[in-house]
């Protein structure tokens, strides 16, 4: 039986509680609009009473974002509920989410209240919230560490008071999947009016089990899952939306066709947006959205993927909207992978040509862990008498220090003619890039920059790898020198020359 699981995204509330994450109102709106494109059912936009800024951003989202229910968090206090209601007023579909801790440790030390008082406060908070909307969610905070009988009693009373969703948080990420699944089953079997509400789950990742616990809950009757993009959130974070959604999709057999309305092709884009705005990099090995999630480096794996993708790929990168380079070549890659990759780039090499390219590729792979498409192009280009250098670096002068503005003078040559420009910048590299831009008049944004030593010792050769965005195209560049400013300038010019070459010529191998 197919059943839609409600996806409740809390990136803008619990996710934004992550230490170091702080988004402007405009950025929150941008994320909220993208969450609608992604297809989430509910957006928890913030905790309105917590600050005037939060109130305002919830209000703006409620006003401007259509296509999902907008939710605001409130403690079980009238002033919190009223603040949430006011912020949510402009929303077409609104939900108030009230919470109150129910575990012994929270009741004794934090709230200093007895069980009977907790039940009364919870009930009256839900009743108050129902005055503003008929979509009210209640969370017994720290539910996974709450005495079961008491938890059943609280849930029954808040449903009686009007709650339409009861959310079971594993607030401190303490639960284990079997145990948490069993708790959801027990709620289904022991709360007499449970059929009047949706059971939601909200799992934290302190033991790395947030997604596993959420999935166990879905298997045992949960109809809503709370999650964040890239799994960001308080402490170790929340359950990652993308991981839950792809599990349901990939293992329909295990989830009795439970599915979501998420448009999976929007996942990668959403992940990038959240990472960019929060400044939290996504780990390369992060499931679904990590840079390596769809890369196969071992020769055996690459060979298998080329023969039949599903040998080593359970999700196609396109499913999540990832259209990047995919197959990365490294030192373990064989001739088959190389020739297939060159073919896909438009290069048809005979056996002898392939041997030559393969040996150059192996030399490069010894120096670099990963070899990208552009490296392959440059290998073949070298065999084509090298990349035509429209612009070459003829000289550079640099001055700067702790108390003086970085200043660079760059000299370039094009078709025998010398060009000079000077510029200040935030640092020596920035100043030299600005001077190059003045000369070449090519507008480029620096998208990526890294420097690494290719040799050992003080006189090590530094290699700069960068990516420029020129006219919406990402163009890589590489330059090496024992001087890092020179290596940086060379890498920048290499990208510019590559761009000029790519836009003028088609790839034909002339060995
Ligand atoms: O982790 C938690 O318990 C929460 C509640 C407010 C739902 O974030
Ligand atoms: Zn939480």
């Amino acid at each position: 039986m197919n059943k839609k699981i409600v996806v409740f995204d809390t990136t803008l509330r619990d996710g934004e509680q992550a230490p170091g994450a702080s988004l402007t109102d405009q950025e929150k709106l941008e994320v909220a609009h993208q969450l609608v494109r992604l297809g989430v059912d509910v957006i928890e936009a913030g905790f309105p009473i917590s600050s005037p800024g939060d109130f305002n951003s919830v209000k703006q989202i409620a006003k401007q974002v259509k296509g999902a229910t907008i939710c605001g968090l409130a403690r079980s206090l009238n002033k919190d509920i009223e603040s949430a209601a006011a912020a949510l007023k402009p929303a077409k579909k609104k939900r108030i989410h009230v919470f109150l801790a129910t575990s012994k440790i929270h009741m004794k030390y934090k709230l200093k209240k007895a069980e009977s008082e907790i039940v009364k406060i919870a009930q009256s908070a839900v009743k108050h919230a129902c005055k503003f909307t008929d979509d009210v969610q209640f969370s017994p905070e720290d539910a996974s560490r709450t005495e079961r009988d008491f938890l059943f009693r609280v849930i029954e009373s808040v449903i009686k008071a009007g709650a339409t969703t009861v959310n079971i948080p594993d607030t401190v990420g303490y639960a284990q999947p079997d145990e948490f699944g069993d708790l959801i089953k027990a709620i289904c079997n022991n709360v007499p009016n449970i059929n009047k509400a949706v059971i939601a789950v909200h799992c934290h990742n302190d033991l790395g089990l947030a997604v596993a616990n959420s999935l166990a809950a879905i298997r045992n009757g949960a109809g809503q899952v709370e999650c964040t993009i890239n799994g960001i959130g308080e402490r170790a974070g929340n359950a990652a939306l993308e991981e839950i959604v792809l599990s349901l999709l990939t293992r329909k057999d295990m989830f009795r066709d439970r599915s979501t309305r998420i448009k999976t092709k929007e996942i990668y884009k959403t992940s990038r947006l959240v990472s960019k705005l929060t400044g939290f990099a996504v780990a390369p090995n992060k499931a679904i959205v990590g840079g390596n999630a769809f890369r196969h480096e071992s020769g055996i794996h690459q060979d298998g993927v080329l023969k039949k993708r599903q040998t080593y790929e359970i999700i196609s990168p396109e499913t999540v909207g990832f259209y990047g380079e995919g197959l990365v070549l490294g030192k373990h890659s064989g001739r088959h992978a190389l020739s297939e990759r060159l073919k896909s780039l438009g290069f048809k090499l005979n056996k002898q040509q392939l041997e030559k390219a393969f040996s150059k590729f192996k030399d490069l792979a010894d120096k670099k862990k990963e070899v990208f498409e552009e490296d392959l192009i440059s290998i073949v280009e070298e065999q084509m008498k090298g990349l035509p250098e429209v612009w070459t670096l003829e000289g550079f002068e640099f001055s700067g220090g702790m108390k003086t503005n970085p200043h660079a003078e760059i000299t370039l040559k094009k078709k025998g003619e010398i060009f000079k420009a000077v510029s200040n910048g935030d640092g020596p590299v920035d100043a030299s890039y600005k001077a190059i831009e003045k000369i070449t008049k090519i507008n480029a944004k620096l998208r990526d920059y890294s420097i690494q030593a290719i040799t050992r010792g003080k006189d090590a050769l530094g290699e700069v790898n960068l990516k420029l965005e020129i006219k919406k195209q990402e163009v890589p560049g590489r330059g090496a020198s024992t001087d890092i400013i020179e290596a940086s300038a060379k890498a920048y010019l290499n990208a510019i020359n590559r761009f000029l070459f790519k836009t003028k010529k088609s790839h034909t191998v002339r060995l």
Side-chain angles (χ1 to χ4, degrees):
M1 184 199 38
N2 191 306
K3 189 176 168 215
K4 291 286 181 218
I5 299 294
V6 175
V7 175
F8 177 108
D9 181 278
T10 184
T11 305
L12 294 173
R13 200 278 295 168
D14 214 323
E16 225 244 347
Q17 273 171 233
S22 171
L23 304 177
T24 64
D25 287 2
Q26 206 43 44
E27 290 168 340
K28 286 183 188 172
L29 266 172
E30 205 179 329
V31 172
H33 282 298
Q34 181 55 30
L35 290 172
V36 170
R37 285 191 283 276
L38 178 67
V40 308
D41 302 284
V42 187
I43 296 173
E44 188 164 50
F47 189 2
I49 192 89
S50 68
S51 72
D54 234 43
F55 180 90
N56 204 43
S57 67
V58 175
K59 192 168 167 186
Q60 288 312 315
I61 291 171
K63 222 186 237 172
Q64 299 183 38
V65 179
K66 313 271 175 256
T69 298
I70 311 298
C71 176
L73 184 68
R75 289 167 298 180
S76 290
L77 297 173
N78 285 0
K79 62 174 183 178
D80 281 37
I81 294 164
E82 284 152 24
S83 168
L88 292 169
K89 203 165 181 205
K92 207 165 164 214
K93 292 188 280 177
K94 49 178 123 349
R95 175 180 295 188
I96 298 178
H97 176 189
V98 278
F99 73 98
L100 184 64
T102 51
S103 64
K104 274 215 159 91
I105 184 167
H106 278 237
M107 290 191 296
K108 181 169 174 197
Y109 295 102
K110 191 178 84 176
L111 302 173
K112 298 184 175 41
K113 296 218 183 300
E115 288 187 350
S116 54
E117 284 177 279
I118 293 290
V119 174
K120 261 198 212 147
I121 297 169
Q123 268 197 314
S124 91
V126 168
K127 277 188 189 149
H128 194 54
C130 288
K131 292 178 193 153
F132 305 98
T133 170
D134 50 17
D135 188 349
V136 173
Q137 168 167 326
F138 178 81
S139 292
E141 191 190 9
D142 206 15
S144 55
R145 292 193 301 170
T146 297
E147 303 280 297
R148 283 197 177 189
D149 285 343
F150 179 56
L151 183 63
F152 302 152
R153 205 173 117 210
V154 172
I155 296 172
E156 187 183 352
S157 2
V158 294
I159 296 175
K160 259 191 206 145
T164 43
T165 302
V166 279
N167 178 38
I168 309 303
D170 181 25
T171 302
V172 288
Y174 179 74
Q176 297 292 307
D178 289 350
E179 177 192 32
F180 199 61
D182 186 63
L183 174 63
I184 302 305
K185 196 196 263 175
I187 291 171
C188 294
N189 294 335
N190 292 283
V191 177
N193 54 358
I194 195 67
N195 60 338
K196 296 209 174 87
V198 174
I199 302 177
V201 287
H202 174 109
C203 299
H204 278 273
N205 207 29
D206 300 65
L207 294 173
L209 293 169
V211 170
N213 285 336
S214 307
L215 294 172
I218 290 172
R219 290 233 296 273
N220 285 281
Q224 173 179 302
V225 74
E226 304 204 354
C227 41
T228 60
I229 304 298
N230 301 335
I232 63 168
E234 187 81 44
R235 304 182 311 281
N238 290 65
L241 177 147
E242 60 279 4
E243 296 177 22
I244 294 173
V245 170
L246 265 294
S247 265
L248 296 182
L249 190 69
T250 313
R251 296 305 307 270
K252 289 192 179 88
D253 56 327
M254 296 289 288
F255 294 99
R256 290 178 290 130
D257 285 337
R258 297 301 191 251
S259 63
T260 66
R261 292 179 193 85
I262 294 297
K263 296 179 187 78
T264 59
K265 285 197 185 316
E266 292 292 324
I267 284 179
Y268 192 69
K269 213 189 292 166
T270 316
S271 158
R272 295 296 293 246
L273 178 71
V274 169
S275 166
K276 184 182 92 182
L277 297 182
T278 56
F280 292 151
V282 175
N285 60 329
K286 161 86 179 63
I288 318 295
V289 289
N292 290 347
F294 299 105
R295 287 182 178 165
H296 308 274
E297 205 202 316
S298 120
I300 294 170
H301 288 207
Q302 289 183 348
D303 186 52
V305 168
L306 290 166
K307 287 173 176 151
K308 177 96 179 152
R309 264 173 100 162
Q310 289 77 1
T311 49
Y312 289 100
E313 218 171 73
I314 57 164
I315 307 156
S316 77
E318 298 80 34
T319 306
V320 295
F322 179 76
Y323 302 101
E325 60 274 277
L327 201 76
V328 167
L329 300 177
K331 63 178 178 184
H332 305 297
S333 303
R335 281 175 186 73
H336 185 188
L338 178 68
S339 99
E340 286 300 317
R341 203 54 190 261
L342 288 173
K343 255 190 234 161
S344 78
L345 292 170
F347 296 112
K348 282 201 184 102
L349 278 70
N350 64 29
K351 226 175 164 187
Q352 202 188 352
Q353 291 165 338
L354 180 64
E355 272 316 304
K356 244 179 163 176
F358 187 64
S359 112
K360 293 225 169 209
F361 155 70
K362 282 284 174 187
D363 288 347
L364 187 63
D366 272 344
K367 291 190 203 133
K368 278 181 105 229
K369 181 150 167 54
E370 299 168 329
V371 178
F372 295 96
E373 278 183 357
E374 295 300 336
D375 295 312
L376 295 184
I377 292 174
S378 77
I379 287 174
V380 182
E381 282 166 356
E382 269 180 42
Q383 296 183 23
M384 296 161 62
K385 292 192 257 96
L387 177 73
E389 291 198 305
V390 180
W391 291 102
T392 52
L393 180 70
E394 288 299 300
F396 70 95
E397 298 294 330
F398 165 72
S399 63
M402 276 173 83
K403 291 189 179 133
T404 45
N405 266 347
H407 178 87
E409 179 182 316
I410 293 281
T411 310
L412 301 184
K413 192 158 127 187
K414 182 183 173 186
K415 290 185 185 160
E417 206 181 328
I418 295 291
F419 299 80
K420 271 185 198 293
V422 292
S423 180
N424 289 335
D426 291 339
V429 173
D430 184 50
S432 54
Y433 288 176
K434 283 187 172 133
I436 293 176
E437 195 169 302
K438 276 189 188 168
I439 301 173
T440 60
K441 299 191 173 49
I442 293 179
N443 228 297
K445 281 189 191 125
L446 185 64
R447 286 289 178 223
D448 224 339
Y449 175 96
S450 68
I451 183 157
Q452 65 225 32
I454 350 182
T455 49
R456 285 163 192 243
K458 282 193 196 139
D459 59 350
L461 203 59
E463 186 185 71
V464 170
N465 280 282
L466 52 72
K467 272 194 185 138
L468 297 185
E469 187 188 311
I470 310 175
K471 294 193 175 153
K472 294 197 174 140
Q473 285 185 51
E474 275 217 333
V475 196
R478 199 171 61 239
S481 167
T482 46
D483 183 299
I484 59 164
I485 311 294
E486 186 180 343
S488 304
K490 279 183 170 172
Y492 196 94
L493 285 176
N494 180 253
I496 284 182
N497 287 332
R498 195 174 293 274
F499 170 76
L500 294 171
F501 174 73
K502 272 174 102 174
T503 46
K504 280 201 185 109
K505 283 191 172 181
S506 62
H507 304 306
T508 33
V509 182
R510 285 175 271 112
L511 291 172

